Amino acid sequence: MAARDPCLTLGYVTEGYPDQWEADVVLTDGGTAHLRPVRSDDAELLRAFYARLSPESIYYRFFSPRPQLTEREIEHFTTVDYDRRVALIATIGDSMVAVVRYDQLSDRPGTAEVAFLVEDAHQGRGLGAVLLEHIAAAARERGLNRFVASVLPDNRRMTRVFREAGYRAEQRFEDGVIELVLDLEPTETSVEVMAAREHRAESRSIQRLLFPRSVAVVGASRAEHSVGQTVLRNLLHGDFSGPIYPVHPTATAVAGVRAYASVLEIPDDVDLAVVAVRADMVHQVVEQCAGKGVHGLVVVSSGFGETGPEGRASQAELVRLARAYGMRVVGPNCLGIANTDPEVRLNATLAPTMPGRGPVGFFSQSGALGIAILQRTAERGLGLSTFVSAGNRADVSGNDLMQYWEEDHATKAVLLYLESLGNPRKFTRLARRLSRRKPIVAVKSGRSTQGVPIGHAARALSLPDHAVSALFAQAGVIRVEDLSELFDVAQLLAYQPLPAGDRIAIIDNSDSLGLLAQDAAAALGLEGRRRIDLGPLADADEYEAALAEALQDDTVDAVVALFTPPTIGGYDVRVPEKILRLAAGSPKPIVATYLGSKGMPADLRVPGPDGWAAEGSIPSYPAPEDAVRALAYVIRYAQWRQRPSGRLPEFAGTDRRRARSLVEEWLEKGPPAQEQTAELLACYGITVAPGPSEGVPTRIVALEDPSFGAVISFGLSDETAALLDDRAYRLAPLTDVEAAELVRAIRTAPLLLGHRGADPVDVASLEELLQRVAKLAHDLPEVAKLVLDPVQVTPTGITVQDVTLRLERPLGPRPELGPRRLP
């Protein structure tokens, strides 16, 4: 939809095929497509594609009627050199549905003409936008920096694709044609546009899974307690709102429901298929689902990546096949998915117990642990909005669910049980955005090994576990130690407001319980503003008066209410009623240890429409320490959310272009000498100079981590700090707030801030240096490791005395800078 007439110069051959340009992508409606470079054997695909185009689409592309392509044109369009002439096509199943190409202009260096063509039936699905992202990345890789596109004025759809991409653009009108010139250098706007489109597409793809209008259970066996029959019965008992279709090769009915021999024989549309057949039969089922137009698959079958190399290959082929036909995959080897929305009532899981409706979204990578998780959730009276068990997490991941939950009004808090991180940098980016609106509580297993389960398509993390915790905290994620703490924190976040600060009041009728709570608060750094011991004989009226006083106290941000029955005699059963009444509408959270109950006890529950806990219910913990610990987690999160996000600095005199030139030169000729490394740092306003060993010696490291990207670590430069691994970590780039936090995050920070009467060092200059180093690391992913050691910090300034640099060519662009693609 850009070039007026194709140049018919021939002679290019299909060689040097750039397979790194292949990608699976999610479209705006949640479906998927496969992008790849065109090949010389794509002639038949192109003919069939062109035959399905409307005259209007052809006219917009070529600016004239063209009923069919000549053989010479077909050869031209399918024969490229992947350098001066490049074409990418989008396929769904066996069909080509879109193409984008560029042809470099000989009279305009660094510039290529770009043209699109999207099949009419697939227009409006975002193919043009995602193709532009990928062809622009390919052009940059080939050294181009501008695109020129010629568009007819009434071709508003394609004009909008170019204008909304976020690149710097110029436009002029000549001879009845709009010529657009796009600068292909990524901008802050283009990165934001790409992220927003990714968000909408991935959110929609999960919504299609969780809100199906119909479900087929493939492998719905008549054998009692079999996997297929279990899923079918759970769907039936859950009262799913749409039709359910058992699929069995010979049975006419399963569990009293009419069955079909294959998915293709089902007479109506099928949105979701739950696959519960042997692993060697799954691919055949996927092909049938593709032919039926199924939107998504939940593969509960095992026998894939968890079994070894052969299983991993079969798992990869399962995902490749499903995505090629527009389907997302949950699993394989998973427990299933659930949605408690009364309009859906979907329990497509193997779990016999399903919690009621509630404000918590739960993502679990473990299928085996999923049943126990759901049972413990129900036992606590904690309601869920949605639940997804990803199993081997071959396709749908926690990142996808976070995209969905960000916009889901039914979800107030997010729980994650993670065994691996497929794209940690994307995880932290999404988590940082989501955490500003909704809390994320995560358990990450593998603390001691940083390894991943054998079935997961993810690399092991190379950073130490405390560094991973620091990066989680930077993104606002509440990382807890175990599942018990996960539920402890979740029940507080789900039903109580966030505290405004860390000042707590303790109300108790047992001196022992009160002291335990007081000790726990002190150990966790909370400020105990007041403690009211009512004594063992306190009645409901005394509790009410004490609680009212605490809630009205401007120096109190949260209340811990402890109530245990006296050793002799009964207790006033009106106590929970009084607590609930005062808690209603209070902006301060209340946690309780009530009669040793765990979860959301009926006495402290505000009943929702289905009898489960609703907002205002008060969580109870069996021990005071548990209650205070949960409150401490939530207080730290609330403080993170209240804290300004800070700003990224713009340092005058930064010469990014010179820095890029130096790095490219050294990668070609060999590693730089020390004085040359100093030249690179000077591009970012960092001076390296020897000097006297005065002040506090510190150490700054910039590391290009294969999982998280650019990471900055900071600590003192001495044997003690190294022995204790007293290092703090943050993702680059650093805002001013994050740089200040990084300096203060190490345990030995008091030595910088005026310990025992010493003069504090020039912390402001140190923070600025950290930001400059972080900026360098963010701009230059080829900087595999940069060490500034020592950096002498005195009350009057800083001196970078020594620096070492290691360069490596990265495997590919960082995810946030490259075009959208599924893992």
Side-chain angles (χ1 to χ4, degrees):
M1 294 183 179
R4 306 186 203 188
D5 291 297
C7 173
L8 299 182
T9 304
L10 303 178
Y12 295 108
V13 294
T14 304
E15 60 182 19
Y17 180 82
D19 55 5
Q20 74 272 19
W21 293 348
E22 292 198 13
D24 292 326
V25 296
V26 184
L27 306 180
T28 54
D29 61 358
T32 57
H34 182 67
L35 306 187
R36 65 169 174 83
V38 75
R39 300 190 300 255
S40 57
D41 60 356
D42 285 329
E44 288 304 318
L45 275 183
L46 178 59
R47 286 192 189 93
F49 165 70
Y50 198 84
R52 296 192 300 270
L53 296 173
S54 69
E56 181 184 56
S57 291
I58 293 172
Y59 183 79
Y60 280 153
R61 168 61 176 87
F62 297 107
F63 295 10
S64 64
R66 192 171 300 212
Q68 62 183 21
L69 297 175
T70 67
E71 289 303 310
R72 192 176 180 208
E73 288 171 331
I74 289 175
E75 183 177 359
H76 168 74
F77 289 140
T78 57
T79 308
V80 297
D81 65 353
Y82 304 121
D83 183 15
R84 295 183 61 84
R85 297 177 60 245
V86 169
L88 304 178
I89 67 171
T91 61
I92 297 178
D94 298 325
S95 299
M96 172 180 165
V97 297
V99 61
V100 61
R101 62 181 297 109
Y102 77 68
D103 292 85
Q104 192 167 343
L105 300 175
S106 57
D107 59 339
R108 298 169 71 171
T111 304
E113 187 173 30
V114 66
F116 290 83
L117 195 51
V118 179
E119 184 179 332
D120 296 68
H122 294 277
Q123 291 177 10
R125 302 186 66 196
L127 277 163
V130 75
L131 282 170
L132 177 59
E133 290 177 19
H134 283 260
I135 198 75
R140 289 193 296 269
E141 190 176 320
R142 294 299 189 246
L144 300 177
N145 50 42
R146 281 181 303 278
F147 274 162
V148 176
S150 299
V151 184
L152 290 172
D154 57 346
N155 188 0
R156 296 181 182 85
R157 190 189 298 271
M158 191 49 59
T159 304
R160 189 165 57 248
V161 168
F162 288 116
R163 288 177 175 168
E164 294 179 356
Y167 297 112
R168 287 180 289 270
E170 299 176 2
Q171 174 183 323
R172 67 171 175 264
F173 186 78
E174 185 177 347
D175 296 333
V177 175
I178 298 172
E179 182 179 86
L180 294 166
V181 180
L182 272 69
D183 184 341
L184 299 183
E185 180 69 20
T187 66
E188 183 176 337
T189 301
S190 70
V191 172
E192 289 176 355
V193 167
M194 190 166 57
R197 287 172 171 164
E198 172 197 70
H199 167 67
R200 289 192 298 269
E202 293 183 0
S203 175
R204 175 60 179 149
S205 74
I206 299 303
Q207 185 182 42
R208 296 207 313 176
L209 288 167
L210 291 171
F211 285 83
R213 292 165 298 181
S214 57
V215 179
V217 180
V218 187
S221 171
R222 290 180 295 183
E224 192 174 0
H225 304 306
S226 64
V227 171
Q229 188 181 96
T230 299
V231 174
L232 177 63
R233 290 193 179 278
N234 287 342
L235 278 165
L236 294 170
H237 292 161
D239 195 24
F240 174 61
S241 59
I244 302 169
Y245 305 105
V247 176
H248 189 283
T250 60
T252 58
V254 179
V257 181
R258 180 183 175 182
Y260 298 87
S262 78
V263 175
L264 294 172
E265 293 186 16
I266 298 172
D268 301 311
D269 293 339
V270 175
D271 283 347
L272 179 69
V274 182
V275 182
V277 300
R278 295 196 318 268
D280 60 344
M281 299 172 60
V282 169
H283 290 176
Q284 177 184 350
V285 171
V286 174
E287 291 174 350
Q288 292 175 0
C289 291
K292 185 63 180 174
V294 173
H295 290 162
L297 305 172
V298 176
V299 183
V300 297
S301 309
S302 58
F304 288 92
E306 76 279 6
T307 64
E310 186 175 340
R312 285 196 294 272
S314 181
Q315 180 171 296
E317 177 61 16
L318 159 65
V319 174
R320 186 203 66 79
L321 187 61
R323 288 177 178 172
Y325 284 96
M327 296 179 287
R328 299 300 306 269
V329 178
V330 178
N333 191 33
C334 72
L335 183 73
I337 65 176
N339 184 355
T340 62
D341 189 305
E343 298 298 318
V344 184
R345 299 186 301 276
L346 174 73
N347 181 10
T349 77
L350 295 170
T353 303
M354 181 55 57
R357 185 68 170 163
V360 175
F362 205 132
F363 174 81
S364 169
Q365 286 180 347
S366 172
L369 194 62
I371 292 178
I373 286 174
L374 288 174
Q375 182 175 348
R376 291 174 69 175
T377 304
E379 288 173 351
R380 288 201 179 215
L382 183 64
L384 297 183
S385 60
T386 42
F387 171 82
V388 174
S389 160
N392 291 358
R393 207 215 58 211
D395 179 22
V396 169
S397 69
N399 288 349
D400 293 297
L401 268 296
M402 286 197 295
Q403 299 272 36
Y404 168 75
W405 281 321
E406 184 176 352
E407 303 301 329
D408 180 33
H409 298 300
T411 301
K412 180 181 175 183
V414 169
L415 306 186
L416 305 174
Y417 175 76
L418 304 173
E419 296 177 325
S420 65
L421 291 169
N423 188 339
R425 192 168 182 88
K426 181 177 179 180
F427 171 83
T428 53
R429 170 172 62 85
L430 296 179
R432 184 183 305 206
R433 191 177 69 208
L434 175 58
S435 293
R436 287 290 172 188
R437 299 176 57 189
K438 302 176 182 182
I440 304 170
V441 192
V443 170
K444 168 68 174 69
S445 64
R447 281 182 177 270
S448 58
T449 64
Q450 294 293 70
V452 300
I454 190 172
H456 290 209
R459 60 162 58 97
L461 299 180
S462 56
L463 291 175
D465 187 67
H466 71 88
V468 175
S469 292
L471 300 184
F472 275 30
Q474 184 184 4
V477 176
I478 305 170
R479 186 181 183 184
V480 295
E481 296 292 328
D482 51 39
L483 287 174
S484 291
E485 288 191 357
L486 183 81
F487 292 118
D488 285 349
V489 176
Q491 64 192 34
L492 171 53
L493 290 169
Y495 304 109
Q496 287 290 301
L498 292 177
D502 63 355
R503 304 166 301 179
I504 68 169
I506 300 169
I507 302 172
D508 66 78
N509 68 339
S510 163
D511 189 56
S512 298
L513 292 182
L515 288 173
L516 287 173
Q518 202 167 20
D519 289 345
L524 292 166
L526 304 184
E527 186 178 346
R529 297 298 293 185
R530 60 192 305 170
R531 179 181 161 224
I532 306 172
D533 180 15
L534 300 175
L537 301 180
D539 61 17
D541 294 331
E542 292 175 274
Y543 255 94
E544 182 179 30
L547 184 57
E549 182 182 348
L551 292 176
Q552 293 169 7
D553 188 341
D554 291 338
T555 67
V556 170
D557 300 307
V559 177
V560 180
L562 310 175
F563 183 75
T564 187
T567 55
I568 300 175
Y571 63 91
D572 193 335
V573 296
R574 299 176 300 143
V575 169
E577 175 190 337
K578 300 287 187 179
I579 296 176
L580 276 175
R581 189 182 68 79
L582 286 175
S586 172
K588 300 177 182 181
I590 301 174
V591 296
T593 292
Y594 175 70
L595 303 179
S597 301
K598 179 168 65 175
M600 312 302 300
D603 286 351
L604 291 176
R605 187 181 300 180
V606 175
D610 58 357
W612 285 71
E615 187 172 353
S617 299
I618 296 173
S620 178
Y621 303 84
E625 302 94 325
D626 298 331
V628 174
R629 186 184 304 111
L631 187 57
Y633 276 121
V634 174
I635 286 172
R636 285 195 290 270
Y637 165 71
Q639 290 172 333
W640 176 88
R641 204 156 111 169
Q642 294 162 4
R643 185 203 74 186
S645 56
R647 61 176 186 85
L648 293 173
E650 289 293 336
F651 295 115
T654 299
D655 193 345
R656 182 181 176 187
R657 183 167 296 181
R658 173 62 177 159
R660 163 62 54 200
S661 175
L662 289 172
V663 167
E664 292 295 338
E665 177 185 341
W666 297 336
L667 284 169
E668 292 293 329
K669 296 182 179 180
Q674 176 112 9
E675 61 272 15
Q676 292 175 304
T677 301
E679 185 180 358
L680 175 65
L681 269 67
C683 294
Y684 286 85
I686 302 170
T687 302
V688 181
S693 299
E694 297 177 354
V696 181
T698 62
R699 184 173 192 265
I700 299 172
V701 178
L703 177 72
E704 182 67 20
D705 183 77
S707 298
F708 287 96
V711 176
I712 305 299
S713 77
F714 171 74
L716 297 191
S717 177
D718 61 26
E719 291 296 331
T720 303
L723 180 65
L724 298 176
D725 195 16
D726 187 17
R727 301 278 183 262
Y729 296 81
R730 295 293 187 274
L731 290 178
L734 293 174
T735 68
D736 51 349
V737 172
E738 290 168 338
E741 286 183 340
L742 182 56
V743 170
R744 292 158 179 79
I746 57 174
R747 296 191 294 278
T748 44
L751 296 176
L752 301 169
L753 304 175
H755 182 59
R756 292 187 175 179
D759 292 333
V761 303
D762 186 356
V763 175
S765 295
L766 181 58
E767 292 169 3
E768 181 180 320
L769 175 62
L770 284 166
Q771 287 184 286
R772 290 181 181 272
V773 172
K775 175 66 173 168
L776 183 154
H778 178 70
D779 288 348
L780 304 170
E782 297 83 1
V783 174
K785 190 172 185 179
L786 174 67
V787 182
L788 285 64
D789 185 12
V791 177
Q792 295 288 354
V793 190
T794 70
T796 58
I798 58 175
T799 305
V800 180
Q801 294 189 333
D802 195 13
V803 59
T804 58
L805 172 68
R806 178 166 58 85
L807 298 176
E808 287 181 6
R809 184 76 68 180
L811 296 177
R814 294 198 185 110
E816 70 271 24
L817 298 179
R820 288 173 286 157
R821 63 174 64 218
L822 289 170

